[in-house]
Amino acid sequence: MADSRLVPALLVTMVSGLVANAQAAKPPYAPPEAFMNNEVVVVKQAKAGLPTTTKDKRWQSAQLQSFRLYPQRTVRLNDAAANAKLDVAQPLELRVRALASPQQLALLLEWKDESASRVSAKETRVFGDSFAVQFPYVFGEGHRLPYIGMGDEKYPVIAYLGRAADKGLIARTSAAIGFGSSTRQQATRAKMSMEYDGKEKIWRATWMRPLKDDKHDLKRDLVPVAFAVWNGESFERGGNKSLSSWKFLKIEGQKINENYLTTMAFGYGPGEVGDALKGKELAQQSCAACHHFEGVVTAVPDFAPNLSQVGKIATYGYLRDSILKPNEVVVRNLNQNRHYMKTETIEGQRGHPNNAGMMWYSRDEKGDVISKMPSFDYLAPEDVANLLAFLKAVEK
Amino acid sequence: MSKRQLAMVMDLNKCIGCQTCTVACKTQWTNRNGREYMYWNNVETKPGPGYPNKWEDMGGGFDAEGNLKDGNIPGLSGDYGIPWDYNHDEIMKGAELAPRSTPQTGPNWNEDEGAGDFPNSYFFYLPRICNHCSNPGCLAACPREAIFKRSQDGIVLVDQSRCEGLRFCIAGCPYKKIYFNPKLFKSEKCILCFPRIEKGLPPACAQQCVGRIRFVGYLDDEEGQVHKLVHKYKVALPLHPEYGTEPNVYYVPPLAGPKKFDKTGKPIEGSDRIPLSYLQSLFGPEVETALETLKTEMAKKKSGQPSELVDLLIAFKHSEMFRLNVQAKKGAEANG
């Protein structure tokens, strides 16, 4: 069925004839419904002012959106207790409400948690329940999204972290260019709060910051945003966390850039994604030598990013870029000292050199990153489409 | 990897478990500000669970291929033990000395228990500091790369400005010699008293050792005791070499333990109470050769012949146990 928005456009063409033809040839882009439902939070203007607490009635005027957060499985850290929990971790539902005033943006986040865990100055093995909100520093037409796991060298992110502590909330603002790189910033600060509802067993967190300042401008039509939650009881901190894929805040009253919207909605259009079963066959042939995914564990562990549930935290666009342009989207290696060459020694040294084979990328003379993964740009478009379908669906 | 490596040798035959090293370290570094529970230097009884409790079962280190292994993080209440105070104010008014809280566990909880059945029970003391490893597990585990080895001496340090208190380092260290400061939310560890090292002084634990068991020097200093004990005579061995971190604290294994008694209570000539297999489980397969070398050299000395090794181990002058102002040989950036 034709999109209803096409009708006025067609009418205009008919009435004004040839003169208006050029304009009318391109109707306004209507993003597929599934994209809007899965990936977008509509941010309404708060007519009665922004809510100030988690229980503020004004949140009721906001659209309720719900996202699934998945355990981070791309890189595996070394805490045995945390890894045991990770092996049985389930996705988590994060409920998001967002409101804007002309100057401010406010979020209300809610997620289930059986018990509250707060960091304490009295224990060494207690971790605090936490949440984070992440934005790209630079975004909009002509820019790809940063790597979901705390950005990359070309596209850094700004991340706001709130952590429950026995003496209130610990708030951090950081910039990052990938795993392990986050560095505290004096950038635009956010006001955060966290409250545990022991009766409903729900954490509620509020987050608010100016839409725009001289460092970072969120006063735009479509703002990429990602969320993360840490469950302290499961020893989660740092890279042990659950995270969303890139989502979007569609701020009411801002003019939509259709080109950006089209690019970001890649994967939801007709024919962009193929057959997952055919994709699986291809993945078993082409990816399994280096990557682990859904029961396929033939590769050396940690030889390449683990693809388990990768589609749950990666966009279609990212998956396509990693297949076709791997140098553009490398995942930052965790500490390369994690693997060393036991058979090799440097003369006179007691320590062994690192195992360069376990590095995910190298650098050329200019310092640019060269991924260990070759480009698969020779694949037929339908093969790529099939791979995308499989990767989006792949489980652990 | 560092250009030079500072190392320590501890002669376990001379350790009397007096804990003077522990106290020297504690008063210097860990009696305040969230470090109260930490013992950067501790002396534990072996066989025994040690400090933190059963640290040898907590994982970390590297597998046979050189890949970092998963590990666990000790808890303050169950594994390290919460430090307790005594009612010193009240005993002046006639009260009995008593702890203010009920102690649950702590360092030295199993002091002098050891293993074996009477009358053939046995134990020895094992002083432990950070091993300032050549392939440190803590350094490898930190996702933020906040831990580094100093180029000039190989001392392993935590960059406090990069540390975010994630504690993967603690899981990665198989010796559990890096600690979490819950008050400052940072990881902290033995710094080998680097401010003292930089002034040519030995670490506080070595300086204060009444048994003169600790030698400190660079592994590339071929005239130094450390090099001679480790490389020339090969009598000083790393603790748990199978952990794969290439530790730089070495131990002269305990040799002259008491003999076993037979059923009638007579000592059995040539017997050793400490089973060789137990020493091998701590110091690796080379312990047998090391003990043989020690026995041979001691017999030589006893019979009036000179023995450089035994003279070294006697450590006639305390001041000569530390060689900290020796420069690396020109052109040789190796560390021995």
Side-chain angles (χ1 to χ4, degrees):
Chain A
M1 204 179 97
D3 190 299
S4 59
R5 265 175 266 188
L6 281 172
V7 180
L10 288 170
L11 280 174
V12 171
T13 320
M14 285 153 72
V15 174
S16 40
L18 289 170
V19 187
N21 249 354
Q23 252 182 322
K26 198 181 160 201
Y29 173 72
E33 207 177 330
F35 176 73
M36 296 305 290
N37 288 344
N38 293 349
E39 317 290 353
V40 176
V41 189
V42 176
V43 186
K44 289 188 185 166
Q45 292 296 318
K47 296 204 175 70
L50 286 174
T52 50
T53 65
T54 57
K55 300 232 169 74
D56 198 312
K57 291 230 164 76
R58 285 173 287 193
W59 284 117
Q60 287 170 5
S61 66
Q63 185 212 27
L64 170 64
Q65 178 58 287
S66 180
F67 296 129
R68 282 197 146 191
L69 273 52
Y70 281 78
Q72 190 286 113
R73 301 184 192 278
T74 309
V75 296
R76 192 166 171 96
L77 292 129
N78 64 308
D79 181 341
N83 285 344
K85 295 279 185 185
L86 176 66
D87 288 340
V88 293
Q90 294 296 315
L92 181 147
E93 190 188 352
L94 181 75
R95 299 203 291 171
V96 182
R97 288 177 175 85
L99 287 170
S101 72
Q103 282 80 39
Q104 302 272 328
L105 173 65
L107 299 171
L108 173 66
L109 308 176
E110 297 172 291
W111 68 96
K112 279 242 171 209
D113 191 343
E114 281 306 304
S115 61
S117 178
R118 296 176 172 89
V119 288
S120 152
K122 294 185 179 124
E123 249 304 344
T124 52
R125 205 170 174 246
V126 169
F127 300 92
D129 292 329
S130 316
F131 73 97
V133 181
Q134 173 181 282
F135 299 98
Y137 261 106
V138 178
F139 58 94
E141 191 175 352
H143 294 289
R144 65 165 171 82
L145 291 166
Y147 177 63
I148 185 66
M150 310 212 69
D152 56 71
E153 284 176 28
K154 286 181 186 155
Y155 284 97
V157 294
I158 179 167
Y160 297 91
L161 170 83
R163 179 190 292 134
D166 55 3
K167 287 177 186 155
L169 174 115
I170 296 167
R172 299 253 186 275
T173 305
S174 304
I177 54 165
F179 287 124
S181 69
S182 78
T183 302
R184 291 189 207 174
Q185 298 292 309
Q186 296 298 321
T188 317
R189 295 296 176 115
K191 272 190 207 160
M192 290 185 248
S193 75
M194 272 178 92
E195 263 170 50
Y196 186 67
D197 183 333
K199 213 165 143 194
E200 289 187 59
K201 298 188 186 298
I202 284 178
W203 272 108
R204 290 193 180 88
T206 60
W207 177 96
M208 187 162 84
R209 64 155 258 196
L211 272 166
K212 183 178 180 175
D213 70 4
D214 55 346
K215 293 193 180 86
H216 199 217
D217 180 9
L218 297 179
K219 204 164 182 175
R220 308 269 288 277
D221 53 330
L222 199 63
V223 179
V225 62
F227 305 96
V229 163
W230 288 260
N231 181 358
E233 283 266 292
S234 296
F235 312 102
E236 289 183 355
R237 76 283 193 192
N240 283 132
K241 63 183 171 190
S242 292
L243 70 162
S244 72
S245 61
W246 281 110
K247 305 296 178 186
F248 300 92
L249 302 175
K250 186 169 171 291
I251 299 178
E252 253 188 10
Q254 300 289 321
K255 195 178 172 298
I256 284 283
N257 178 329
E258 291 181 10
N259 290 340
Y260 191 53
L261 184 59
T262 319
T263 317
M264 292 299 109
F266 171 77
Y268 285 92
E272 287 171 341
V273 172
D275 182 323
L277 279 178
K278 287 181 187 160
K280 185 173 186 176
E281 268 176 48
L282 187 54
Q284 282 167 344
Q285 291 163 24
S286 309
C287 314
C290 304
H291 295 281
H292 283 198
F293 53 90
E294 202 172 350
V296 179
V297 289
T298 42
V300 173
D302 211 19
F303 187 76
N306 190 323
L307 299 181
S308 296
Q309 295 183 324
V310 65
K312 316 299 183 190
I313 60 163
T315 61
Y316 282 111
Y318 171 79
L319 295 170
R320 177 199 53 201
D321 290 350
S322 349
I323 298 166
L324 302 178
K325 300 183 281 187
N327 290 349
E328 290 292 307
V329 290
V330 286
V331 178
R332 191 172 186 271
N333 256 106
L334 266 190
N335 194 324
Q336 53 176 301
N337 298 288
R338 289 152 53 92
H339 306 280
Y340 70 77
M341 293 294 285
K342 216 153 192 181
T343 48
E344 252 179 58
T345 48
I346 297 172
E347 197 184 343
Q349 296 274 353
R350 274 186 54 74
H352 303 278
N354 290 334
N355 184 346
M358 298 300 278
M359 282 293 285
W360 295 347
Y361 51 85
S362 55
R363 286 180 194 276
D364 63 14
E365 315 84 59
K366 285 186 287 177
D368 287 340
V369 160
I370 310 291
S371 177
K372 183 162 73 176
M373 173 163 155
S375 167
F376 284 77
D377 54 3
Y378 56 83
L379 288 179
E382 56 268 31
D383 284 339
V384 175
N386 292 342
L387 270 181
L388 289 182
F390 170 67
L391 289 173
K392 198 68 185 173
V394 69
E395 281 298 327
K396 72 183 176 92
Chain B
M1 264 167 292
S2 52
K3 287 180 179 166
R4 299 189 83 193
Q5 182 65 55
L6 201 56
M8 190 184 281
V9 171
M10 302 195 202
D11 183 354
L12 297 185
N13 294 291
K14 294 162 80 181
C15 180
I16 57 169
C18 67
Q19 306 283 358
T20 308
C21 50
T22 309
V23 173
C25 178
K26 181 143 275 298
T27 51
Q28 181 98 358
W29 302 115
T30 65
N31 61 359
R32 55 201 179 271
N33 224 4
R35 300 177 196 108
E36 291 82 354
Y37 84 89
M38 297 180 198
Y39 287 85
W40 292 357
N41 179 109
N42 75 294
V43 183
E44 59 198 51
T45 300
K46 284 286 169 194
Y51 168 87
N53 200 16
K54 297 184 183 166
W55 60 270
E56 286 154 306
D57 300 336
M58 286 186 181
F62 296 87
D63 67 16
E65 276 80 47
N67 302 307
L68 186 69
K69 281 162 53 173
D70 287 1
N72 281 305
I73 296 168
L76 183 51
S77 52
D79 301 314
Y80 296 110
I82 300 167
W84 60 90
D85 289 325
Y86 288 91
N87 59 341
H88 290 119
D89 300 343
E90 287 137 45
I91 51 173
M92 299 304 284
K93 298 166 198 152
E96 289 287 312
L97 180 70
R100 286 189 195 282
S101 54
T102 311
Q104 301 293 326
T105 186
N108 271 346
W109 199 252
N110 309 83
E111 187 170 43
D112 293 0
E113 282 183 10
D117 292 324
F118 182 82
N120 290 322
S121 46
Y122 62 93
F123 70 83
F124 57 92
Y125 298 112
L126 182 74
R128 300 204 302 123
I129 64 168
C130 165
N131 286 300
H132 296 277
C133 304
S134 295
N135 288 115
C138 61
L139 182 152
C142 179
R144 301 178 55 75
E145 298 174 35
I147 304 179
F148 62 101
K149 264 182 97 61
R150 295 215 306 189
S151 170
Q152 67 268 41
D153 49 24
I155 295 178
V156 177
L157 296 173
V158 181
D159 178 347
Q160 296 286 303
S161 67
R162 284 298 299 163
C163 177
E164 285 284 351
L166 297 176
R167 289 163 263 179
F168 292 105
C169 53
I170 301 170
C173 172
Y175 301 95
K176 300 299 170 241
K177 273 293 169 190
I178 183 161
Y179 301 84
F180 177 61
N181 183 325
K183 191 172 167 193
L184 305 181
F185 217 77
K186 302 275 180 191
S187 282
E188 297 179 349
K189 63 184 286 299
C190 160
I191 56 175
L192 207 60
C193 289
F194 74 82
R196 292 175 58 90
I197 297 289
E198 285 168 8
K199 293 190 170 177
L201 298 167
C205 58
Q207 174 73 51
Q208 297 298 93
C209 177
V210 296
R212 294 190 185 179
I213 81 158
R214 301 193 186 211
F215 301 86
V216 185
Y218 291 91
L219 280 173
D220 64 2
D221 171 17
E222 290 178 13
E223 299 306 309
Q225 304 92 326
V226 166
H227 178 91
K228 285 180 180 169
L229 294 170
V230 174
H231 290 304
K232 186 174 173 188
Y233 294 104
K234 299 186 192 320
V235 293
L237 305 168
L239 177 62
H240 286 303
E242 76 279 11
Y243 290 169
T245 62
E246 306 288 329
N248 287 305
V249 171
Y250 300 83
Y251 296 92
V252 179
L255 168 75
K259 297 177 180 72
K260 281 185 184 173
F261 294 108
D262 66 15
K263 279 178 187 165
T264 62
K266 282 184 194 148
I268 306 167
E269 282 309 315
S271 66
D272 287 313
R273 275 216 216 158
I274 305 172
L276 180 64
S277 60
Y278 180 67
L279 292 177
Q280 284 169 330
S281 77
L282 289 184
F283 305 110
E286 283 153 49
V287 78
E288 196 172 2
T289 325
L291 290 171
E292 280 308 314
T293 308
L294 286 165
K295 275 182 196 162
T296 313
E297 290 293 318
M298 284 165 84
K300 264 166 73 181
K301 185 80 181 173
K302 222 172 174 178
S303 69
Q305 292 174 271
S307 166
E308 185 192 34
L309 173 60
V310 174
D311 286 352
L312 277 177
L313 290 172
I314 290 171
F316 291 99
K317 282 189 181 167
H318 192 222
S319 58
E320 286 174 2
M321 297 180 76
F322 317 117
R323 285 169 60 94
L324 297 162
N325 293 319
V326 184
Q327 297 304 307
K329 274 191 206 159
K330 270 196 179 167
E333 287 187 335
N335 65 2

